[in-house]
Amino acid sequence: MQIVIEKKNLYIIFILIVVLLVCFSIVMEIKSGNYLSSEDYFASNSSSWLRLYYDGDLTDLYGKHIEQLRGSYDRLKRDSYYEINSQFLEIPFFPGAEFFLYGYEEGHSDDAVNEYSGVAVSNVKAMQLSENALIRFHLSLWQGELFVSCDYQDSDIVPILLGYEYRDTFKIGDKFEGAYIAKPFKFQVVGILDKNSHVMISGTPRYLDRYIVMPSINCLDDPASLEEDLFQVRHYVNKLGGWFEHTNGRELKVFKEEIAHINKILPGRIETYSVNNAPLVEVVFANIVNIEQAALWISVFLVIVLAIICPLLYFRLQIKSISLLCVNILFGISYTELCIKCLSM
């Protein structure tokens, strides 16, 4: 007598196999580089991060405190202090797509285009990085070359790196004019970043595909005009609003003591707040960068479930035919044959 498997059991097995294949596909996508790797995530979570920002009235700094700002920056600067700022650039007649504009992700890209004397000026997403940040976050190139040390000195032409999605808008060597903190600059494209290039702080990635990346320049000359003073003050306030990476309490204590000394001589205060690492549940299931772990764990779970369900279904189907069951066991039916029999029945 032929025994037919119940439809609901067949549906359950089919769904489990489909989910297993989907998880396998996700893992293969991760290996091909379409998602962040788990190593990348945990590399950023192996230490803790401290965020700095200047809290004060900038008008108290204009015209009289640029030396204190520079000196404060020199005291904070070290291998584990990273300048990562997102000050947009003002570019006239910008030829790029709307998604390059500042505020696009928040739905405010319309506010990023203004007209001055008949000239359309766009606020374009940009990121200013210190030299050690390029090394820390392993930024690599699709084309061109990275910044060199001399690129971090203030000059008439500022080299820039473009995110991967700029590859059809600009090419290596292109030059254009724009403004950074209201100061006119000439920019020259020296490189285009690899796809999915990003900076990762405490498990949170910021992708650079739609960003212009410029060096966080150092101003060597004293301001020769009021406009230059305004620029340098605002620029160095940005440079003081960086990120400090530490691996133990002693490093954090020494760094905070340095900030306390700076706050005694600088108008306003440099404030700090810690960025905590994500909890384990979020790490495995919620954070996109850990989708590999979730997919692998789900795959393992489904394999175990299938390994249990298939024999149970087989024995259930064969229980009415004890003689056939005994023959199969006696002759050592393989697990593969057992699965095939279950699915075929």
Side-chain angles (χ1 to χ4, degrees):
M1 178 179 179
Q2 185 178 7
I3 302 174
V4 180
I5 189 170
E6 296 180 13
K7 284 187 177 181
K8 65 177 182 179
N9 292 332
L10 183 60
Y11 291 154
I12 291 173
I13 294 175
F14 177 75
I15 291 172
L16 290 174
I17 291 176
V18 169
V19 174
L20 183 63
L21 291 174
V22 170
C23 292
F24 177 77
S25 175
I26 291 174
V27 173
M28 295 307 295
E29 285 289 305
I30 293 167
K31 297 302 182 184
S32 68
N34 292 337
Y35 296 105
L36 295 178
S37 67
S38 58
E39 291 80 4
D40 195 354
Y41 178 86
F42 286 108
S44 75
N45 279 275
S46 61
S47 55
S48 299
W49 294 84
L50 189 73
R51 181 73 165 101
L52 281 67
Y53 67 96
Y54 176 79
D55 183 16
D57 188 351
L58 292 184
T59 58
D60 293 337
L61 301 173
Y62 294 143
K64 50 189 175 183
H65 288 291
I66 188 59
E67 287 301 324
Q68 286 91 331
L69 286 170
R70 287 182 187 171
S72 299
Y73 167 73
D74 289 336
R75 294 183 68 165
L76 289 181
K77 187 173 61 175
R78 58 201 69 197
D79 291 340
S80 52
Y81 178 73
Y82 303 96
E83 298 159 55
I84 306 167
N85 292 292
S86 300
Q87 177 70 47
F88 60 80
L89 302 182
E90 298 173 282
I91 302 177
F93 304 114
F94 179 66
E98 183 183 8
F99 53 69
F100 293 124
L101 299 182
Y102 182 79
Y104 172 80
E105 285 74 15
E106 295 79 20
H108 302 303
S109 58
D110 290 343
D111 299 332
V113 180
N114 302 285
E115 187 170 324
Y116 302 100
S117 302
V119 177
V121 179
S122 301
N123 298 337
V124 181
K125 291 192 293 256
M127 185 172 289
Q128 297 77 39
L129 297 179
S130 54
E131 188 171 3
N132 60 344
L134 265 70
I135 300 172
R136 170 64 178 83
F137 299 108
H138 311 291
L139 296 184
S140 58
L141 291 171
W142 176 72
Q143 194 177 75
E145 57 186 25
L146 290 171
F147 303 140
V148 294
S149 295
C150 61
D151 292 332
Y152 289 86
Q153 309 308 322
D154 191 7
S155 63
D156 294 333
I157 298 180
V158 177
I160 57 172
L161 304 173
L162 299 179
Y164 183 76
E165 294 194 31
Y166 271 103
R167 66 192 184 281
D168 295 326
T169 306
F170 293 106
K171 62 181 182 297
I172 303 299
D174 281 353
K175 296 180 181 179
F176 58 87
E177 295 183 353
Y180 164 61
I181 315 184
K183 179 180 178 178
F185 283 96
K186 290 183 179 179
F187 300 98
Q188 182 173 16
V189 180
V190 297
I192 299 176
L193 295 169
D194 276 332
K195 185 178 182 180
N196 293 332
S197 293
H198 59 278
V199 296
M200 171 89 74
I201 297 176
S202 192
T204 303
R206 180 176 293 183
Y207 290 94
L208 302 175
D209 292 337
R210 298 176 177 179
Y211 274 78
I212 294 175
V213 177
M214 63 177 288
S216 182
I217 57 178
N218 299 305
C219 301
L220 302 180
D221 299 326
D222 293 331
S225 63
L226 176 61
E227 291 76 13
E228 179 65 18
D229 181 78
L230 296 176
F231 164 75
Q232 290 196 21
V233 165
R234 293 178 59 190
H235 176 57
Y236 271 88
V237 165
N238 283 348
K239 289 170 75 69
L240 291 175
W243 296 82
F244 175 66
E245 184 180 21
H246 57 96
T247 56
N248 57 64
R250 183 179 179 278
E251 292 179 354
L252 180 60
K253 180 176 181 293
V254 170
F255 188 72
K256 283 193 170 183
E257 287 176 350
E258 195 67 61
I259 293 176
H261 290 306
I262 292 172
N263 284 337
K264 291 178 181 179
I265 62 173
L266 192 67
R269 291 181 56 82
I270 296 176
E271 301 288 355
T272 64
Y273 65 89
S274 297
V275 181
N276 296 323
N277 295 335
L280 181 60
V281 173
E282 181 182 345
V283 167
V284 178
F285 295 106
N287 200 304
I288 186 66
V289 301
N290 274 314
I291 197 169
E292 179 179 6
Q293 282 84 0
L296 287 174
W297 278 109
I298 293 173
S299 300
V300 171
F301 172 75
L302 290 177
V303 168
I304 294 174
V305 170
L306 288 174
I308 296 173
I309 288 179
C310 284
L312 290 177
L313 286 175
Y314 177 73
F315 288 128
R316 179 184 176 187
L317 294 173
Q318 297 289 357
I319 196 66
K320 295 184 179 180
S321 180
I322 299 297
S323 59
L324 181 58
L325 176 62
C326 293
V327 169
N328 285 333
I329 295 176
L330 182 64
F331 284 95
I333 183 172
S334 68
Y335 188 81
T336 303
E337 294 172 330
L338 187 149
C339 291
I340 293 174
K341 281 179 176 292
C342 285
L343 296 176
S344 63
M345 296 175 66

